[in-house]
Amino acid sequence: MDLQGVYTALVTPFRDGKVDYKAFEELLERQIAGKVAGVVPVGTTGESPTLSPEEHIQVIARTVEIVNGRCQVIAGSGANSTEEAVHLTREAKAAGADASLQVTPYYNKPTQEGIYRHFSTIAEKTQLPVVLYNVPGRAGVPIAIETVARLAANPLMVAVKEAGGSVDRVSAIKEVCDITVLSGDDSLTLPMMSVGASGIISVASNIIPGELSEMVALALKGDFAAAAGFHRKYYALFRDLFIESNPIPVKAAMALRGEIACEYRLPLCELSASHQELLSATLKKCGLL
């Protein structure tokens, strides 16, 4: 499975406590118009921890239905329970997803052997391509380079999303195995691509899918000078979409632009007043408000 380009980690819009599928469809159509390579429903940015299992599966199914083959769909179907991840991934496959995004099991802090068995079991029992998701800041443990190499021997392990803030990890992974690496941090997209990453699973592309698609396309062609122009223009956005826990700022930004309601599910809540003011100023600076 070829993975390169921009993959949008979709927000899940809410209205009056329920998933707002009208706003969600409009968001997906903007992604298609922006020529993203794919979309990632119900990952961290999609607030998967607060969706019910039924909602989780329905959002994936609706994504596949709306996209209708116009881009790839990588379903967020990870969990800290292997059994639950297998169930969600089977449902994602049945819905027509092209691959699954599998987060490192969080809170229970498994050993590297446990991590290896977790991902291997999901792949074996579902036969759906897996994008590994290394995010030690949320999971509590990293996927060790050696574990990535072990997993990469399985052809169903098609990529790894690197969201640990380390550009060096890209080189270390590429040194020991042949697996696609995707940046998990918008501000590190170009640095990671300069040493071998093939694209980005992006938060910012919820807002600027076309601009990020163009930036990454330039980098894939080796034109980093032109790509850096986009990076400089939108760096403040990349930075300030993480002034509070993702996806609080990106949903606030989209609400300021009139694209979704500014609604979350506890324990997430609205952006602080001072950060709302800062984010508004950043959007104006970037020509997005």
Side-chain angles (χ1 to χ4, degrees):
M1 182 180 182
D2 183 33
L3 295 176
Q4 65 171 21
V6 173
Y7 293 82
T8 301
L10 299 165
V11 303
T12 302
F14 298 127
R15 189 173 291 275
D16 301 325
K18 297 180 180 179
V19 177
D20 183 351
Y21 283 108
K22 182 178 183 295
F24 189 63
E25 181 171 359
E26 291 170 352
L27 169 60
L28 281 168
E29 291 299 336
R30 289 194 296 274
Q31 300 306 309
I32 299 297
K35 299 181 180 180
V36 298
V39 292
V40 185
V42 272
T44 304
T45 309
E47 293 175 81
S48 55
T50 57
L51 294 182
S52 70
E54 295 76 19
E55 287 174 322
H56 194 128
I57 293 163
Q58 186 178 23
V59 170
I60 293 169
R62 288 293 292 273
T63 302
V64 173
E65 178 186 355
I66 294 164
V67 165
N68 193 26
R70 292 178 290 170
C71 72
Q72 294 171 319
V73 176
I74 303 173
S77 56
N80 63 348
S81 158
T82 306
E83 184 178 356
E84 180 183 353
V86 167
H87 168 68
L88 289 172
T89 304
R90 281 174 172 159
E91 294 290 341
K93 183 178 182 180
D98 298 294
S100 71
L101 179 68
Q102 296 293 333
V103 68
T104 314
Y106 45 86
Y107 185 74
N108 43 19
K109 297 182 75 172
T111 63
Q112 291 301 311
E113 181 62 26
I115 290 171
Y116 172 78
R117 294 186 193 182
H118 171 81
F119 291 129
S120 297
T121 298
I122 295 164
E124 177 187 346
K125 290 192 173 182
T126 68
Q127 293 297 299
L128 189 66
V130 170
V131 177
L132 306 168
Y133 182 6
N134 181 55
V135 58
R138 287 184 182 263
V141 290
I143 310 173
I145 299 295
E146 296 78 8
T147 305
V148 174
R150 285 180 73 192
L151 289 163
N154 185 333
L156 284 170
M157 305 295 175
V158 294
V160 55
K161 174 185 177 181
E162 278 298 323
S166 169
V167 176
D168 195 53
R169 285 261 310 186
V170 181
S171 298
I173 289 169
K174 289 293 187 180
E175 184 179 32
V176 297
C177 64
D178 181 21
I179 191 171
T180 297
V181 179
L182 298 171
S183 172
D185 297 289
D186 281 296
S187 63
L188 295 181
T189 303
L190 292 189
M192 285 191 172
M193 291 186 73
S194 73
V195 292
S198 298
I200 170 76
I201 295 180
S202 170
V203 174
S205 59
N206 279 279
I207 300 171
I208 51 169
E211 293 86 343
L212 276 183
S213 293
E214 190 170 350
M215 182 186 83
V216 169
L218 287 165
L220 287 169
K221 292 176 184 175
D223 191 349
F224 282 92
F230 285 92
H231 174 86
R232 287 191 294 270
K233 180 175 181 179
Y234 295 110
Y235 171 71
L237 178 70
F238 300 159
R239 179 194 64 211
D240 292 344
L241 288 181
F242 291 88
I243 50 175
E244 291 183 18
S245 297
N246 180 47
I248 293 171
V250 68
K251 291 188 88 173
M254 294 172 73
L256 284 168
R257 286 163 51 85
E259 294 168 342
I260 63 171
C262 194
E263 189 170 322
Y264 310 87
R265 285 182 178 172
L266 289 170
L268 298 186
C269 60
E270 66 277 358
L271 203 62
S272 68
S274 60
H275 284 160
Q276 181 88 357
E277 185 177 342
L278 172 62
L279 186 59
S280 178
T282 296
L283 289 170
K284 290 174 182 175
K285 175 183 176 182
C286 294
L288 299 171
L289 194 64

